[in-house]
């Protein structure tokens, strides 16, 4: 095995989160009843004229920019001619000769993966098997797609997964796509070949389709590498074919041969005029959001741990909440504790999600955390308040009064407590010069015990030091 290597290229198809389809005004939704979002343009009925979705073009420009690509400012589309049951009009509108972006790259853990091209196109209908019959849902037909084609620069399953995660993060952070593999809005076809190390000729390429998770991408590549290797060692030829990933059997399964290149008879789409989008490129680039690499750098400089950074980059909703709160408090360590550690368990218990949290709740959480920073409440009290704030519309101040968490700041009352402790603990007082911190911690602990944590720690330490000195 050590004498052979895999060469891997990945084609990603990602649905864009626009409100309407690529060339029609039909709405885009993954959750509507089947076959309700259908338009005569998407079906290719006689006499219809497609019109490119401006927002889809903007998203294509932004992705090309993020990947450092050359952007073609002459927007034009081509017709890819083929008949298949999920494409009723017999052709697909795509970009064969003038993709919106070419020659990009992305660097992952020091490894540069070159990206050949990205192009805009329309999706096909969704195929489903119901009671043994093939059924088609045309809600997906015409949904805007971007296809991202990498160079065969990937060598391991781990690199493949890292590449997919990096691309997904860019798509989500730039609001280009939700990147959900489980919903089919982020799909990956993997091309893999195996050859001896040092060989100048690549092995025969095999395509793997229907991979529905990052974990399965790694498993499919690993399985296919070993399958091809076994055949090579037996002296058997590898055939150029398309296989699918069978999750139940954990293996790739033969679908069809790809012995001959399909002639799609590409030609310029006659119903869409060529457009100069130079001004649109400038507008799109000026409106771009944060890129994941920039966010990572900021979080590293703020002292956030690497595992937490990856959590935030993989969950954009969590990152938005972290950013919203931290912009007000400038205390990333504290915000991480409450947003990444405490909040998820609270959401899980109440079947909630980050997306459902209102700005009103976040503003109340900011006020509570400020009270915690100022030591107006302690950590245990904050957890109780936080939960009750989530379950109600009450603010921290109201809950502090209702729960009896109001702090004792009366210096004379606190002084009386300490005088009693000092009188009955002379031996601790005698240690004060040699071990001041230990003695102070001892007496503060007694006070917090007897006041049930309601004594203000700042006032308490000030009174105690005065008495001990």
């Amino acid at each position: 095995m050590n004498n052979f290597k895999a060469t891997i290229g990945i084609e990603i198809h990602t649905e864009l989160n626009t409100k309407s389809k690529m060339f029609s005004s039909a709405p885009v939704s993954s959750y509507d009843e089947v076959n309700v979002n259908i338009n005569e343009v998407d079906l290719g009925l006689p006499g219809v004229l497609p019109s490119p979705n401006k927002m889809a073009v903007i998203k294509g420009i932004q992705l090309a920019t993020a990947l450092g690509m050359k952007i073609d400012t002459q927007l034009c589309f081509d017709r890819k001619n083929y008949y298949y049951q999920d494409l009723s009009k017999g052709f697909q509108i795509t970009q064969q000769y003038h993709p919106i972006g070419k020659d990009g790259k992305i660097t992952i853990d020091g490894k540069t993966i070159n990206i050949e091209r990205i192009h805009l196109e329309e999706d096909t209908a969704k195929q489903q098997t119901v009671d043994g019959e093939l059924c088609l849902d045309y809600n997906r037909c015409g949904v805007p797609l971007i296809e991202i084609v990498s160079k065969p620069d990937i060598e391991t399953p781990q690199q493949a997964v890292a590449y997919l995660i990096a691309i997904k993060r860019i798509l989500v952070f730039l609001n280009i796509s939700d990147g959900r593999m489980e919903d089919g809005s982020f799909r990956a076809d993997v091309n893999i070949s195996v050859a001896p190390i040092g060989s100048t000729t690549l092995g025969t390429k095999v395509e793997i389709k229907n991979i529905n998770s990052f974990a399965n991408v790694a498993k499919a590549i690993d399985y296919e590498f070993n399958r091809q290797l076994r055949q090579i060692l037996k002296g058997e030829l590898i055939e150029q074919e398309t296989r699918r990933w069978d999750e139940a059997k954990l293996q790739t399964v033969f679908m069809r041969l790809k012995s001959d290149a399909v002639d799609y008879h590409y030609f310029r789409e006659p119903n869409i005029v060529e457009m100069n989008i130079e001004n649109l490129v400038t507008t799109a680039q000026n409106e771009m959001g944060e890129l994941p690499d920039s966010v990572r750098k900021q979080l590293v400089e703020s002292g956030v741990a690497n595992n937490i950074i990856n959590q935030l980059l993989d969950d954009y909703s969590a990152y938005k909440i972290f950013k919203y709160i931290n912009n007000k408090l400038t205390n990333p360590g504290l915000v991480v504790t409450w947003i990444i550690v405490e909040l998820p368990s609270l959401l899980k218990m109440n079947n909630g999600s980050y997306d459902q949290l209102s700005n009103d709740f976040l503003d109340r959480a900011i006020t509570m955390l400020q009270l915690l920073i100022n030591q107006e409440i302690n950590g245990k009290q904050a957890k109780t308040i936080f939960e009750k704030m989530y379950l109600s519309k009450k603010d921290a101040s109201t809950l502090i009064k209702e729960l009896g968490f109001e702090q004792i700041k009366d210096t004379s009352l606190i002084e009386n407590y300490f005088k009693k402790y000092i009188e009955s603990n002379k031996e601790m007082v005698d240690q004060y010069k040699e071990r001041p911190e230990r003695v102070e911690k001892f007496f503060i602990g007694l006070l917090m015990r007897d006041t049930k944590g309601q004594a203000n720690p700042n006032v308490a330490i000030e009174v105690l030091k005065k008495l001990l000195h």
Side-chain angles (χ1 to χ4, degrees):
M1 288 179 65
N2 294 332
N3 293 325
F4 291 82
K5 71 170 185 175
T7 300
I8 302 163
I10 298 179
E11 297 171 6
I12 298 170
H13 290 83
T14 187
E15 289 184 355
L16 310 187
N17 56 1
T18 54
K19 292 181 180 179
S20 58
K21 293 188 178 180
M22 187 67 221
F23 299 106
S24 80
S25 59
V28 171
S29 175
S30 300
Y31 305 105
D32 287 350
E33 185 181 348
V34 298
N35 290 321
V36 295
N37 300 326
I38 301 176
N39 186 283
E40 58 272 14
V41 173
D42 307 314
L43 297 178
L45 299 185
V48 298
L49 289 174
S51 178
N53 185 326
K54 180 180 178 181
M55 186 53 66
V57 176
I58 287 173
K59 291 177 185 291
I61 292 168
Q62 292 176 337
L63 179 59
T65 302
L67 297 175
M69 304 185 109
K70 299 172 187 172
I71 297 172
D72 195 329
T73 56
Q74 289 301 120
L75 180 71
C76 54
F77 291 89
D78 303 296
R79 186 177 289 193
K80 179 180 181 181
N81 297 276
Y82 69 99
Y83 179 76
Y84 201 61
Q85 52 260 50
D86 60 4
L87 194 64
S88 65
K89 59 188 179 185
F91 64 88
Q92 178 190 39
I93 302 176
T94 182
Q95 291 183 310
Q96 174 66 13
Y97 301 114
H98 296 276
I100 197 165
K102 292 192 296 185
D103 301 328
K105 63 182 178 180
I106 191 167
T107 302
I108 302 160
D109 298 330
K111 166 78 172 178
T112 297
I113 297 172
N114 293 289
I115 300 172
E116 182 179 311
R117 58 187 280 151
I118 67 168
H119 60 261
L120 293 161
E121 60 186 23
E122 58 183 340
D123 208 344
T124 59
K126 185 177 182 180
Q127 301 185 67
Q128 295 174 289
T129 302
V130 180
D131 297 329
E133 294 185 347
L134 179 66
C135 299
L136 298 168
D137 178 7
Y138 278 91
N139 284 349
R140 198 178 74 178
C141 185
V143 169
L145 278 182
I146 289 180
E147 182 171 352
I148 307 163
V149 183
S150 82
K151 294 276 192 179
D153 293 336
I154 302 167
E155 298 175 333
T156 66
Q158 294 74 25
Q159 285 178 8
V161 171
Y163 168 75
L164 290 171
I165 290 173
I167 294 291
K168 177 185 174 179
R169 286 173 176 173
I170 292 172
L171 294 169
V172 173
F173 268 74
L174 292 184
N175 193 30
I176 293 171
S177 170
D178 61 26
R180 292 177 180 162
M181 266 189 148
E182 63 274 19
D183 290 340
S185 58
F186 185 89
R187 313 192 291 269
D189 294 339
V190 175
N191 295 296
I192 175 172
S193 64
V194 177
I197 292 174
S199 172
T200 57
T201 304
L202 295 179
T204 303
K205 180 175 67 176
V206 172
E207 180 184 41
I208 311 171
K209 286 184 172 291
N210 298 346
I211 312 178
N212 60 4
S213 72
F214 293 144
N216 282 334
V217 166
K219 292 175 185 176
I221 291 173
D222 187 59
Y223 176 88
E224 186 60 23
F225 173 77
N226 284 285
R227 185 191 73 83
Q228 292 186 35
L229 180 59
R230 285 195 298 270
Q231 285 193 231
I232 291 169
L233 294 177
K234 289 178 185 177
E236 299 174 358
L237 290 176
I238 305 295
E239 293 195 83
Q240 186 175 351
E241 60 190 26
T242 297
R243 303 176 72 86
R244 65 177 176 85
W245 174 246
D246 188 320
E247 188 174 3
K249 296 180 180 179
L250 296 178
Q251 63 184 38
T252 62
V253 178
F254 174 80
M255 290 177 67
R256 56 183 175 267
L257 287 173
K258 293 185 71 172
S259 55
D260 297 313
V262 179
D263 186 356
Y264 291 112
H265 299 287
Y266 286 102
F267 60 82
R268 182 68 55 83
E269 171 55 49
N271 292 323
I272 300 178
V273 67
E274 184 176 321
M275 290 170 275
N276 185 292
I277 57 169
E278 199 166 341
N279 291 336
L280 192 59
V281 170
T282 303
T283 301
Q285 291 174 337
N286 289 338
E287 294 175 352
M288 286 178 64
E290 297 177 287
L291 288 170
D293 284 349
S294 174
V295 171
R296 177 181 289 280
K297 184 178 179 182
Q298 293 171 25
L299 293 173
V300 168
E301 290 172 353
S302 297
V304 179
N306 191 58
N307 64 315
I308 298 295
I309 291 174
N310 286 329
Q311 278 185 257
L312 291 170
L313 293 179
D314 287 332
D315 191 335
Y316 186 59
S317 296
Y319 170 71
K320 284 193 296 184
I321 291 172
F322 167 85
K323 183 180 177 182
Y324 182 87
I325 295 177
N326 194 53
N327 281 347
K328 302 287 180 66
L329 298 178
T330 321
N331 192 329
L334 179 71
V335 178
V336 161
T337 298
W338 287 90
I339 301 307
I340 302 300
V341 180
E342 297 294 341
L343 185 55
S345 58
L346 189 58
L347 293 173
K348 187 176 180 180
M349 283 191 298
N350 295 279
N351 296 317
S353 69
Y354 284 118
D355 290 330
Q356 295 170 339
L357 297 175
S358 66
N359 283 348
D360 172 65
F361 170 76
L362 299 181
D363 289 335
R364 287 183 284 130
I366 289 168
T367 301
M368 185 211 75
L369 292 174
Q370 192 62 65
L371 292 171
L372 182 61
I373 291 169
N374 296 338
Q375 296 188 323
E376 296 289 326
I377 54 175
N378 60 40
K380 186 177 180 181
Q381 292 170 335
K383 287 185 74 169
T384 302
I385 294 167
F386 195 56
E387 181 176 355
K388 292 188 178 297
M389 271 196 336
Y390 176 79
L391 297 172
S392 71
K393 292 190 177 295
K394 296 178 181 178
D395 58 30
S397 298
T398 301
L399 289 168
I400 286 170
K401 290 179 182 177
E402 289 183 1
L403 296 166
F405 289 164
E406 292 173 291
Q407 290 200 335
I408 300 168
K409 297 182 180 180
D410 186 330
T411 55
S412 60
L413 180 59
I414 291 173
E415 186 174 315
N416 288 335
Y417 273 107
F418 281 135
K419 283 181 178 179
K420 182 178 68 173
Y421 301 148
I422 288 170
E423 184 64 32
S424 57
N425 291 279
K426 297 285 187 181
E427 70 283 358
M428 288 298 295
V429 179
D430 292 339
Q431 300 177 35
Y432 187 59
K433 284 185 180 180
E434 289 77 23
R435 307 175 75 181
E437 289 183 5
R438 180 175 183 272
V439 173
E440 288 170 3
K441 186 176 180 181
F442 172 77
F443 285 119
I444 291 291
L446 293 176
L447 178 68
M448 292 301 172
R449 180 198 66 190
D450 293 344
T451 62
K452 297 180 179 179
Q454 288 180 252
N456 183 283
N458 293 327
V459 174
I461 194 67
E462 189 176 326
V463 170
L464 178 62
K465 284 185 175 182
K466 183 178 177 182
L467 288 173
L468 290 173
H469 281 298

